[in-house]
Amino acid sequence: MVISAPAHHRARQAIRDTWGGESNVSGLRVMTLFMLGVPSDPGLAKMLFEEAREQGDLVQGRFLDSYANLTLKTLALQSWVRRFCPQAHFVAKVDDDVLFNPSALLHLLNKSRSPYEQSDLYLGKVHLRVAPKRDPRSKHYVPNEAYPSSVFPDYCSGTAYVLSRSALLKISLAASVSPLSTAQPPEDVFVGVCARAAGILPTHSSLFSGGPPMPYGRCCYQAMVSVHHIAPRDMLYYWADIHSSGQCLWLSTRASLCMCKVGALLGSVLGLGKEA
Ligand SMILES: *[C@@H]1O[C@H](CO)[C@@H](O)[C@H](O)[C@H]1NC(C)=O
Ligand SMILES: *[C@@H]1O[C@H](CO)[C@@H](O)[C@H](O)[C@H]1NC(C)=O
Ligand SMILES: *[C@@H]1O[C@H](CO)[C@@H](O)[C@H](O)[C@H]1NC(C)=O
């Protein structure tokens, strides 16, 4: 499920033309849908209607699509999947600027466990011991009333995370009893808070990006489950390049992953990272 903003038509098309177009990964069925709210602009609403009719892959919740309503979007996503995807073993929540890799994800799930095992999985890049921003000028300002403790429970970065069906059911049950105050913590923190309430701990994987942007490397991007901050044009280019020749060998993948991570670290040290 891709969380998308109504105006991001090009991003959605890039996803359809790349990883979102995957439907059969080593014989397993995968499907990509987009989750949106209602745009305030009637012109945009009409374009969305057309897009939905042509593509058949948009899911729209009954709420105003705004940054402040992102948590509502996640709740809508959860209840939609609960209701309409009873056969799905896993659901990934992915942002629309993320190069996601269903095949790398299934490989990871397959390696770590039986894919059909019914247990709670909440997988992604885990943020540890993050303190709420108490400065009202911050984009991620969280007032005391919304979250009184001085540190959030550990949570998966919202750029991309994966829930098993049982974890989804428990988290969405916890979300339904948690009071929705007007000032919400960020969407990914909210999921972390609900997971904690449901007794589910996040599982970290270094194959999910979520920190500073990663420089491109073919073998590295082939192995990563998710890479964020990817513009639509780059997504098309990288996806084609990743698949241009065969599977990278183990050693090339290790070396390339290492280069990517070091590059990302250097970028953040030099102040090139987009995230605070
Ligand atoms: C899915 O892929 C597998 C091999 O990767 C192939 O054997 C199977 O026929 C494919 N199924 C469909 C419906 O295309
Ligand atoms: C969130 O959506 C609701 C329902 O459409 C709307 O009333 C409210 O104004 C929205 N909130 C923000 C901050 O956009
Ligand atoms: C999962 O692992 C098994 C055994 O290693 C392999 O035969 C199978 O193809 C893998 N499936 C996927 C989807 O990678």
PDB file of all heavy atoms in Angstrom, residues 15 22 29 45 49 51 57 113 158 171 198 206 212 219 224 226 246 250 253 268:
ATOM      1  N   ILE A  15       5.870   4.408 -10.135  1.00  0.00           N
ATOM      2  CA  ILE A  15       5.772   3.179  -9.340  1.00  0.00           C
ATOM      3  C   ILE A  15       5.075   2.078 -10.138  1.00  0.00           C
ATOM      4  O   ILE A  15       5.536   0.933 -10.174  1.00  0.00           O
ATOM      5  CB  ILE A  15       5.053   3.453  -7.998  1.00  0.00           C
ATOM      6  CG1 ILE A  15       5.969   4.300  -7.097  1.00  0.00           C
ATOM      7  CG2 ILE A  15       4.657   2.148  -7.290  1.00  0.00           C
ATOM      8  CD1 ILE A  15       5.349   4.750  -5.794  1.00  0.00           C
ATOM      9  N   GLU A  22       4.959  -5.307 -10.451  1.00  0.00           N
ATOM     10  CA  GLU A  22       5.236  -6.712 -10.142  1.00  0.00           C
ATOM     11  C   GLU A  22       3.962  -7.398  -9.642  1.00  0.00           C
ATOM     12  O   GLU A  22       3.247  -6.840  -8.809  1.00  0.00           O
ATOM     13  CB  GLU A  22       6.280  -6.810  -9.024  1.00  0.00           C
ATOM     14  CG  GLU A  22       7.592  -6.149  -9.325  1.00  0.00           C
ATOM     15  CD  GLU A  22       8.576  -7.098  -9.961  1.00  0.00           C
ATOM     16  OE1 GLU A  22       9.236  -7.840  -9.244  1.00  0.00           O
ATOM     17  OE2 GLU A  22       8.656  -7.095 -11.211  1.00  0.00           O
ATOM     18  N   ARG A  29       2.173 -14.118  -5.110  1.00  0.00           N
ATOM     19  CA  ARG A  29       1.398 -12.982  -5.628  1.00  0.00           C
ATOM     20  C   ARG A  29       1.672 -11.724  -4.840  1.00  0.00           C
ATOM     21  O   ARG A  29       1.607 -11.724  -3.618  1.00  0.00           O
ATOM     22  CB  ARG A  29      -0.099 -13.297  -5.537  1.00  0.00           C
ATOM     23  CG  ARG A  29      -0.704 -13.698  -6.842  1.00  0.00           C
ATOM     24  CD  ARG A  29      -2.215 -13.762  -6.713  1.00  0.00           C
ATOM     25  NE  ARG A  29      -2.821 -12.483  -7.022  1.00  0.00           N
ATOM     26  CZ  ARG A  29      -4.064 -12.157  -6.662  1.00  0.00           C
ATOM     27  NH1 ARG A  29      -4.798 -12.984  -5.959  1.00  0.00           N
ATOM     28  NH2 ARG A  29      -4.555 -10.993  -7.016  1.00  0.00           N
ATOM     29  N   ALA A  45      -9.549  16.558  -7.686  1.00  0.00           N
ATOM     30  CA  ALA A  45     -10.488  15.480  -7.347  1.00  0.00           C
ATOM     31  C   ALA A  45     -10.994  14.810  -8.621  1.00  0.00           C
ATOM     32  O   ALA A  45     -11.112  13.589  -8.703  1.00  0.00           O
ATOM     33  CB  ALA A  45     -11.645  16.025  -6.531  1.00  0.00           C
ATOM     34  N   PHE A  49     -10.357  10.940 -10.027  1.00  0.00           N
ATOM     35  CA  PHE A  49     -11.473  10.093 -10.437  1.00  0.00           C
ATOM     36  C   PHE A  49     -11.150   9.417 -11.773  1.00  0.00           C
ATOM     37  O   PHE A  49     -11.333   8.200 -11.937  1.00  0.00           O
ATOM     38  CB  PHE A  49     -12.735  10.966 -10.539  1.00  0.00           C
ATOM     39  CG  PHE A  49     -13.971  10.181 -10.802  1.00  0.00           C
ATOM     40  CD1 PHE A  49     -14.592   9.465  -9.786  1.00  0.00           C
ATOM     41  CD2 PHE A  49     -14.520  10.152 -12.086  1.00  0.00           C
ATOM     42  CE1 PHE A  49     -15.730   8.731 -10.038  1.00  0.00           C
ATOM     43  CE2 PHE A  49     -15.659   9.412 -12.339  1.00  0.00           C
ATOM     44  CZ  PHE A  49     -16.263   8.704 -11.319  1.00  0.00           C
ATOM     45  N   GLU A  51      -8.124   8.979 -13.020  1.00  0.00           N
ATOM     46  CA  GLU A  51      -6.989   8.068 -12.811  1.00  0.00           C
ATOM     47  C   GLU A  51      -7.476   6.746 -12.219  1.00  0.00           C
ATOM     48  O   GLU A  51      -7.041   5.667 -12.635  1.00  0.00           O
ATOM     49  CB  GLU A  51      -5.972   8.742 -11.884  1.00  0.00           C
ATOM     50  CG  GLU A  51      -4.684   7.942 -11.710  1.00  0.00           C
ATOM     51  CD  GLU A  51      -3.697   8.630 -10.759  1.00  0.00           C
ATOM     52  OE1 GLU A  51      -3.753   9.875 -10.609  1.00  0.00           O
ATOM     53  OE2 GLU A  51      -2.885   7.904 -10.158  1.00  0.00           O
ATOM     54  N   ASP A  57      -6.401   1.277  -9.291  1.00  0.00           N
ATOM     55  CA  ASP A  57      -5.533   0.927  -8.169  1.00  0.00           C
ATOM     56  C   ASP A  57      -5.488   2.008  -7.085  1.00  0.00           C
ATOM     57  O   ASP A  57      -4.557   2.063  -6.296  1.00  0.00           O
ATOM     58  CB  ASP A  57      -4.111   0.605  -8.665  1.00  0.00           C
ATOM     59  CG  ASP A  57      -3.487   1.765  -9.437  1.00  0.00           C
ATOM     60  OD1 ASP A  57      -4.108   2.839  -9.508  1.00  0.00           O
ATOM     61  OD2 ASP A  57      -2.372   1.588  -9.968  1.00  0.00           O
ATOM     62  N   ARG A 113      12.306 -16.676   8.033  1.00  0.00           N
ATOM     63  CA  ARG A 113      11.194 -17.434   8.599  1.00  0.00           C
ATOM     64  C   ARG A 113      10.405 -18.085   7.466  1.00  0.00           C
ATOM     65  O   ARG A 113      10.611 -17.759   6.316  1.00  0.00           O
ATOM     66  CB  ARG A 113      10.266 -16.498   9.342  1.00  0.00           C
ATOM     67  CG  ARG A 113       9.765 -15.401   8.373  1.00  0.00           C
ATOM     68  CD  ARG A 113       8.724 -14.499   8.934  1.00  0.00           C
ATOM     69  NE  ARG A 113       9.180 -13.891  10.150  1.00  0.00           N
ATOM     70  CZ  ARG A 113       8.421 -13.775  11.240  1.00  0.00           C
ATOM     71  NH1 ARG A 113       7.207 -14.214  11.233  1.00  0.00           N
ATOM     72  NH2 ARG A 113       8.874 -13.197  12.308  1.00  0.00           N
ATOM     73  N   GLY A 158       8.628   5.469   8.814  1.00  0.00           N
ATOM     74  CA  GLY A 158       7.409   5.439   8.021  1.00  0.00           C
ATOM     75  C   GLY A 158       7.642   5.389   6.521  1.00  0.00           C
ATOM     76  O   GLY A 158       6.700   5.171   5.764  1.00  0.00           O
ATOM     77  N   ILE A 171      -2.283  -4.272  15.859  1.00  0.00           N
ATOM     78  CA  ILE A 171      -1.960  -2.841  15.878  1.00  0.00           C
ATOM     79  C   ILE A 171      -3.204  -2.022  15.567  1.00  0.00           C
ATOM     80  O   ILE A 171      -3.462  -0.993  16.192  1.00  0.00           O
ATOM     81  CB  ILE A 171      -0.820  -2.532  14.876  1.00  0.00           C
ATOM     82  CG1 ILE A 171       0.498  -3.085  15.439  1.00  0.00           C
ATOM     83  CG2 ILE A 171      -0.709  -1.036  14.607  1.00  0.00           C
ATOM     84  CD1 ILE A 171       1.672  -3.006  14.494  1.00  0.00           C
ATOM     85  N   ALA A 198       0.154  -3.141  21.804  1.00  0.00           N
ATOM     86  CA  ALA A 198      -0.277  -4.489  21.437  1.00  0.00           C
ATOM     87  C   ALA A 198       0.772  -5.535  21.814  1.00  0.00           C
ATOM     88  O   ALA A 198       0.586  -6.725  21.556  1.00  0.00           O
ATOM     89  CB  ALA A 198      -0.566  -4.545  19.941  1.00  0.00           C
ATOM     90  N   SER A 206      18.712  -3.774   8.029  1.00  0.00           N
ATOM     91  CA  SER A 206      19.539  -2.745   7.406  1.00  0.00           C
ATOM     92  C   SER A 206      19.228  -2.623   5.912  1.00  0.00           C
ATOM     93  O   SER A 206      19.782  -1.777   5.230  1.00  0.00           O
ATOM     94  CB  SER A 206      21.019  -3.064   7.615  1.00  0.00           C
ATOM     95  OG  SER A 206      21.299  -4.310   7.015  1.00  0.00           O
ATOM     96  N   PRO A 212      19.859   9.196   5.862  1.00  0.00           N
ATOM     97  CA  PRO A 212      20.277  10.078   4.771  1.00  0.00           C
ATOM     98  C   PRO A 212      20.153   9.385   3.412  1.00  0.00           C
ATOM     99  O   PRO A 212      20.167   8.157   3.356  1.00  0.00           O
ATOM    100  CB  PRO A 212      21.740  10.378   5.091  1.00  0.00           C
ATOM    101  CG  PRO A 212      22.153   9.392   6.113  1.00  0.00           C
ATOM    102  CD  PRO A 212      20.944   8.881   6.787  1.00  0.00           C
ATOM    103  N   CYS A 219      24.356  -3.088  -7.420  1.00  0.00           N
ATOM    104  CA  CYS A 219      24.219  -4.277  -6.567  1.00  0.00           C
ATOM    105  C   CYS A 219      23.593  -3.926  -5.222  1.00  0.00           C
ATOM    106  O   CYS A 219      22.830  -4.704  -4.656  1.00  0.00           O
ATOM    107  CB  CYS A 219      25.578  -4.926  -6.365  1.00  0.00           C
ATOM    108  SG  CYS A 219      26.262  -5.562  -7.906  1.00  0.00           S
ATOM    109  N   MET A 224      18.682  -3.935  -1.593  1.00  0.00           N
ATOM    110  CA  MET A 224      17.887  -3.166  -0.623  1.00  0.00           C
ATOM    111  C   MET A 224      16.395  -3.448  -0.808  1.00  0.00           C
ATOM    112  O   MET A 224      15.908  -3.584  -1.923  1.00  0.00           O
ATOM    113  CB  MET A 224      18.124  -1.659  -0.807  1.00  0.00           C
ATOM    114  CG  MET A 224      19.503  -1.160  -0.406  1.00  0.00           C
ATOM    115  SD  MET A 224      19.886  -1.294   1.352  1.00  0.00           S
ATOM    116  CE  MET A 224      18.798  -0.053   2.060  1.00  0.00           C
ATOM    117  N   SER A 226      14.107  -1.243   0.512  1.00  0.00           N
ATOM    118  CA  SER A 226      13.534   0.072   0.231  1.00  0.00           C
ATOM    119  C   SER A 226      14.604   1.143   0.273  1.00  0.00           C
ATOM    120  O   SER A 226      15.501   1.098   1.113  1.00  0.00           O
ATOM    121  CB  SER A 226      12.432   0.401   1.238  1.00  0.00           C
ATOM    122  OG  SER A 226      12.981   0.862   2.452  1.00  0.00           O
ATOM    123  N   GLY A 246      22.324  -9.678 -14.785  1.00  0.00           N
ATOM    124  CA  GLY A 246      21.905 -10.699 -13.804  1.00  0.00           C
ATOM    125  C   GLY A 246      22.035 -10.291 -12.352  1.00  0.00           C
ATOM    126  O   GLY A 246      22.402  -9.162 -12.018  1.00  0.00           O
ATOM    127  N   TRP A 250      27.390 -12.529  -4.319  1.00  0.00           N
ATOM    128  CA  TRP A 250      27.371 -12.196  -2.900  1.00  0.00           C
ATOM    129  C   TRP A 250      28.399 -11.119  -2.557  1.00  0.00           C
ATOM    130  O   TRP A 250      28.081 -10.126  -1.915  1.00  0.00           O
ATOM    131  CB  TRP A 250      27.618 -13.469  -2.087  1.00  0.00           C
ATOM    132  CG  TRP A 250      27.515 -13.263  -0.609  1.00  0.00           C
ATOM    133  CD1 TRP A 250      26.374 -13.270   0.136  1.00  0.00           C
ATOM    134  CD2 TRP A 250      28.581 -12.994   0.297  1.00  0.00           C
ATOM    135  NE1 TRP A 250      26.666 -13.015   1.458  1.00  0.00           N
ATOM    136  CE2 TRP A 250      28.015 -12.845   1.587  1.00  0.00           C
ATOM    137  CE3 TRP A 250      29.968 -12.861   0.154  1.00  0.00           C
ATOM    138  CZ2 TRP A 250      28.780 -12.586   2.722  1.00  0.00           C
ATOM    139  CZ3 TRP A 250      30.731 -12.587   1.292  1.00  0.00           C
ATOM    140  CH2 TRP A 250      30.139 -12.457   2.556  1.00  0.00           C
ATOM    141  N   THR A 253      27.610  -7.695  -3.912  1.00  0.00           N
ATOM    142  CA  THR A 253      26.508  -7.106  -3.161  1.00  0.00           C
ATOM    143  C   THR A 253      27.006  -6.527  -1.845  1.00  0.00           C
ATOM    144  O   THR A 253      26.693  -5.398  -1.489  1.00  0.00           O
ATOM    145  CB  THR A 253      25.421  -8.163  -2.895  1.00  0.00           C
ATOM    146  OG1 THR A 253      24.985  -8.676  -4.150  1.00  0.00           O
ATOM    147  CG2 THR A 253      24.243  -7.566  -2.168  1.00  0.00           C
ATOM    148  N   SER A 268      25.560  12.600   5.252  1.00  0.00           N
ATOM    149  CA  SER A 268      24.919  13.195   6.422  1.00  0.00           C
ATOM    150  C   SER A 268      25.928  13.951   7.270  1.00  0.00           C
ATOM    151  O   SER A 268      25.625  14.985   7.835  1.00  0.00           O
ATOM    152  CB  SER A 268      24.191  12.123   7.242  1.00  0.00           C
ATOM    153  OG  SER A 268      25.097  11.370   7.981  1.00  0.00           O
TER     154      SER A 268
END
